[in-house]
């Protein structure tokens, strides 16, 4: 199986989402862009011109337009196996699975937070109309060129893989004490390995994109497990009065994980049939191993 998929997604514009705390002087261009004594934000708050004010800025990048993201996934999967009869009562099955998916995510037109902070603080009366100034301090002060200078492109690459080998035999043991119903069983092994590798650009790793919500850190690892298992159906009683049949369903699995070591799991169940009705009850032990 082979699959190649590309998704194009458009999301809301980036922006400055109250991410930076700015300590500004009341007589600065940012708080008094008109440069007139006794006016500006501090005057509106009744503060003296020589005081400072802490400011958070929140603004969508409507001038620069929406963010665009491209996701590309390439996957392939191969399964091969052999199966057949050992004799009249026993058969075998052996299979191999290998699969891999390589994914690339590219994000465009997201603000880089450090650039936004520097561009807001660089605004002065002389640079108010320059592309280097992100002039959020006056209505309509942000230009398309200034917004474009603050945006960047993010890249993420993720690769996942799986390899599995499974083999088992199953059949009739030829032994049993219920007429016409011998003990049947299956036994075999599994070997499984899963891998995960991811990498991101340096700005994403530092959490530098305003719309990303936090750092995207590289992760690399694998998990590997070797298992041996067996199951058996054991007829206990045949037809007896109101009871048509009663059997045990037994199972055992030994699992050895590279991350957490060996574990034993098992099941013991009883299955009964009475005409149109059946009943079952049992006990089993399961585990959850650490994943990647």
């Amino acid at each position: 199986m082979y699959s190649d998929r590309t998704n194009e997604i458009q999301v809301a514009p980036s922006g400055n989402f109250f991410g930076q705390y700015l300590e500004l002087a009341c007589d600065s261009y940012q708080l008094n862009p008109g440069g007139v004594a006794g006016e500006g934000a501090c005057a509106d708050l009744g503060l003296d011109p020589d005081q400072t004010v802490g400011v958070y800025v929140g603004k969508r990048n409507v001038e620069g337009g929406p963010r665009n993201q491209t996701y590309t996934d390439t996957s392939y999967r191969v399964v091969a196996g052999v199966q057949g009869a050992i004799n009249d009562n026993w058969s075998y099955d052996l299979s191999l699975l290998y699969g891999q998916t390589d994914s690339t995510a590219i994000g465009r037109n997201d603000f880089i937070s450090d650039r936004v902070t520097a561009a807001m603080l660089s605004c002065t009366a002389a640079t108010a109309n320059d592309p280097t100034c992100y002039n959020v301090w006056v209505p309509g002060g942000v230009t398309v060129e200034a917004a474009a200078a603050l945006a960047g492109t993010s890249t993420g690459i993720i690769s996942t893989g799986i390899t599995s080998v499974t083999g088992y035999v199953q059949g009739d043991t030829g032994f049993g004490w219920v007429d016409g119903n011998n003990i049947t069983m299956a036994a075999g092994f599994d070997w499984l390995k899963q891998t995960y590798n991811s990498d991101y650009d340096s700005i994403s790793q530092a959490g530098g994109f305003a719309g990303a919500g936090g750092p995207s850190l590289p992760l690399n690892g694998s998990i590997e497990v070797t298992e041996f298992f067996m199951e058996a159906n054991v007829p206990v009683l045949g037809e007896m009065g109101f009871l048509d049949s009663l059997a045990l369903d037994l199972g055992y699995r030994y699992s050895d994980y590279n991350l957490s070591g060996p574990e034993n799991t098992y099941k013991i169940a009883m299955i009964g049939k009475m005409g149109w009705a059946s009943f079952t009850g049992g006990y089993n032990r399961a585990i959850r191993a650490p994943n990647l």
Side-chain angles (χ1 to χ4, degrees):
M1 183 186 72
Y2 175 81
S3 172
D4 187 70
R5 179 184 64 178
T6 299
N7 292 335
E8 300 282 350
I9 300 173
Q10 176 178 296
V11 296
S14 184
N16 194 59
F17 303 116
F18 305 98
Q20 305 89 3
Y21 176 78
L22 307 178
E23 191 77 23
L24 302 175
C26 283
D27 60 357
S28 66
Y29 173 84
Q30 284 76 13
L31 295 185
N32 188 4
V36 179
E39 294 186 0
C42 288
D44 294 339
L45 296 172
L47 303 177
D48 297 331
D50 59 349
Q51 288 186 265
T52 60
V53 176
V55 174
Y56 288 98
V57 176
K59 185 188 184 308
R60 281 280 185 182
N61 181 29
V62 293
E63 297 80 10
R67 287 168 287 174
N68 295 282
Q69 300 168 347
T70 302
Y71 296 94
T72 302
D73 301 304
T74 301
S75 302
Y76 56 90
R77 178 176 180 267
V78 178
V79 181
V82 291
Q83 59 183 9
I86 301 173
N87 55 35
D88 292 341
N89 294 324
W90 289 86
S91 62
Y92 69 91
D93 191 299
L94 179 64
S95 62
L96 167 68
L97 161 68
Y98 180 78
Q100 183 166 324
T101 298
D102 297 313
S103 304
T104 301
I106 299 176
R108 301 176 181 86
N109 207 30
D110 196 359
F111 271 178
I112 299 174
S113 300
D114 290 346
R115 291 184 187 177
V116 178
T117 302
M120 289 191 298
L121 295 178
S122 72
C123 295
T124 65
T127 64
N129 297 317
D130 292 348
T132 57
C133 164
Y134 187 53
N135 197 351
V136 299
W137 313 110
V138 297
V142 176
T143 65
V144 174
E145 293 78 13
L150 304 180
T153 299
S154 63
T155 303
I157 299 174
I158 299 174
S159 177
T160 62
I162 181 172
T163 305
S164 174
V165 180
T166 302
Y168 64 88
V169 295
Q170 62 180 354
D172 188 328
T173 64
F175 171 78
W177 53 86
V178 178
D179 291 341
N181 291 283
N182 293 330
I183 298 173
T184 57
M185 64 177 298
F189 70 93
D190 281 327
W191 179 81
L192 171 69
K193 183 175 183 179
Q194 292 176 296
T195 60
Y196 181 95
N197 298 281
S198 65
D199 200 6
Y200 303 89
D201 63 88
S202 58
I203 298 175
S204 294
Q205 291 185 35
F209 284 102
S216 298
L217 301 178
L219 295 173
N220 300 281
S222 65
I223 185 170
E224 187 176 330
V225 58
T226 301
E227 298 182 296
F228 297 93
F229 60 86
M230 64 176 297
E231 293 190 48
N233 181 271
V234 183
V236 177
L237 294 174
E239 188 171 351
M240 181 180 293
F242 64 89
L243 184 67
D244 294 333
S245 65
L246 183 67
L248 293 176
D249 183 22
L250 308 176
Y252 170 78
R253 181 178 292 259
Y254 170 85
S255 306
D256 189 4
Y257 291 86
N258 67 321
L259 298 183
S260 57
E263 285 288 348
N264 296 294
T265 54
Y266 51 84
K267 65 174 181 177
I268 304 172
M270 181 176 292
I271 303 171
K273 294 183 179 180
M274 299 177 295
W276 55 267
S278 63
F279 64 91
T280 182
Y283 177 85
N284 66 79
R285 178 180 190 267
I287 60 106
R288 293 188 65 175
N291 60 25
L292 290 175

